[in-house]
Amino acid sequence: MIVVTGGAGFIGSNFVLDWLANPKAEGIINLDKLTYAGNLSTLAPLAKDPRHIFIKGDIGDSTLVTNLLQQHRPRAIINFAAESHVDRSIHGPADFIQTNILGSFNLLECTRTYWNSLPTEEQQQFRFLHVSTDEVYGSLGASDAAFKETTAYEPNSPYSASKAASDHLVRAWFHTYGLPVLTTNCSNNYGPYHFPEKLIPLVILNALNGQPLPIYGDGMQVRDWLYVGDHCAAIRRVLEKGTLGETYNVGGWNEKANLEVVKTICAILDELRPRPNGGSYAEQIRFVTDRPGHDRRYAIDASKLERELGWKPAETFATGIRKTVEWYLVNPEWVAGVQSGSYRDWINQHYVA
Ligand code: NAD
Ligand code: DAU
């Protein structure tokens, strides 16, 4: 067995579905608190698969996590669970401190106790993989080199500061206690099951609903986009082949300005689902007030992962974004399910107020 935390969220659920698509794969204990960002409907295809055990719970609950580890005796834990949305961290940072820092601390401590109780051979095989972000490195200027694993941490938002703190805890648990950890720092993901508070799914769905496409500031902020399936493949590779205590940057070599991303989505939709009035979806673009402390540019240098572990992304941005738009067009039920009351509250609070 392996334990996945946050496996009902965007990346975690893609990881669980990809992992269990292999008939020979070990089972997964999926521990998720089911916050607004967790959706069990994403995991519906696994309802009859005995290899998937879902447990609703908090990584910060030490009794629950301790019992879970003792009962299922996993050979690895992959920690996806987090509060992940930068704008929400600006409106209300407390949940980010609670889950991303204190929750990760609790998970590490429970894991350490469990790991210490294992026989030597199982201790040697055990892995704790912490899934983190490129945002911990801060913001790049236009001509700066891409983030390497050695780039100094300079987080600028409550979200990235809380993720940076968790990365430091993971590092310390390796150096102080010998816990066999691995950390991945990934750039912006996109793909199926992405919650529509984030730029790409928000724009696809607002476009289809005739709503404004909100661009913060001048829209020239750069993100480095990676298709979620490529991120999942990278995590599997690091889990199996990564060197203990090391960090690995994961990215798609796909730097794009936000405005370009939005215009690309509009062009694909113009082709696949033309507007009834014949105009382009790009006419719905609106420039809105910028995000406070908005990082200007992220770019990941993923050459260590390619050189040492042989991982490369399979998708280009052109192939991945088309697949993504197509997925949202053919999955209106999933979309309707996640656009619940609490989702509408967020949209009203953030974009209208
Ligand atoms: P998400 O917000 O879509 O999902 C997070 C999941 O964690 C949800 O299912 C939620 O219910 C669960 N969760 C939250 N608090 C919890 C707690 N206390 N205990 C148990 N479960 C809890 O996030 P995501 O986009 O899938 O990101 C997953 C991880 O990857 C995060 O750690 C994030 O920092 C990291 N990451 C995300 C991106 C990206 O572009 N989305 C890029 C790099 C790294
Ligand atoms: O870089 C990795 C990070 O990518 C992850 O660690 C985070 O969990 C994930 O949410 C993502 O953070 P971003 O802030 O980059 O993603 P988001 O989709 O919120 O925004 C992408 C860019 O688009 C960013 O520059 C802000 C901008 N934006 C976003 C929204 C929601 C807009 O211009 N308008 C919007 O309405």
Side-chain angles (χ1 to χ4, degrees), residues 307-353:
R307 193 177 57 248
E308 295 187 7
L309 306 187
W311 173 90
K312 272 206 283 197
E315 300 288 346
T316 63
F317 188 70
T319 59
I321 194 69
R322 181 168 283 271
K323 268 191 187 179
T324 303
V325 173
E326 286 170 351
W327 187 88
Y328 279 91
L329 287 173
V330 298
N331 285 283
E333 297 85 7
W334 184 88
V335 170
V338 299
Q339 286 181 321
S340 64
S342 68
Y343 172 75
R344 281 196 298 274
D345 290 347
W346 163 252
I347 295 294
N348 289 338
Q349 179 197 2
H350 184 62
Y351 292 100
V352 181

Side-chain angles (χ1 to χ4, degrees), residues 11 83-87 132-136 159-160 163 186-189 194 196-203 206 213-217 219 221-225 258-259 262 288 290-291 294-296 298 346 350-351:
I11 305 174
E83 290 292 337
S84 70
H85 189 33
V86 174
D87 293 322
S132 192
T133 171
D134 60 356
E135 300 204 9
V136 298
Y159 163 69
S160 54
K163 290 295 290 187
C186 189
S187 60
N188 284 65
N189 284 216
H194 204 180
E197 64 185 352
K198 309 282 170 65
L199 179 72
I200 287 182
L202 180 91
V203 163
N206 277 17
L213 311 182
I215 308 262
Y216 297 161
Q221 304 82 9
V222 171
R223 296 293 181 265
D224 189 352
W225 294 96
N258 293 337
L259 193 54
V262 173
V288 300
D290 208 351
R291 170 186 281 175
H294 197 170
D295 287 336
R296 193 68 180 167
Y298 303 143
W346 163 252
H350 184 62
Y351 292 100

Side-chain angles (χ1 to χ4, degrees), residues 5-13 31-39 57-60 79-85 99-100 103 130-134 159 163 184-190 193-195 197-198 225 231:
T5 73
F10 165 47
I11 305 174
S13 63
L31 171 65
D32 194 297
K33 189 178 171 185
L34 292 182
T35 68
Y36 77 93
N39 292 292
D58 192 326
I59 58 166
N79 183 28
F80 292 94
E83 290 292 337
S84 70
H85 189 33
T99 284
N100 300 359
H130 181 60
V131 180
S132 192
T133 171
D134 60 356
Y159 163 69
K163 290 295 290 187
T184 53
N185 292 89
C186 189
S187 60
N188 284 65
N189 284 216
Y190 67 101
Y193 308 112
H194 204 180
F195 194 73
E197 64 185 352
K198 309 282 170 65
W225 294 96
H231 187 188

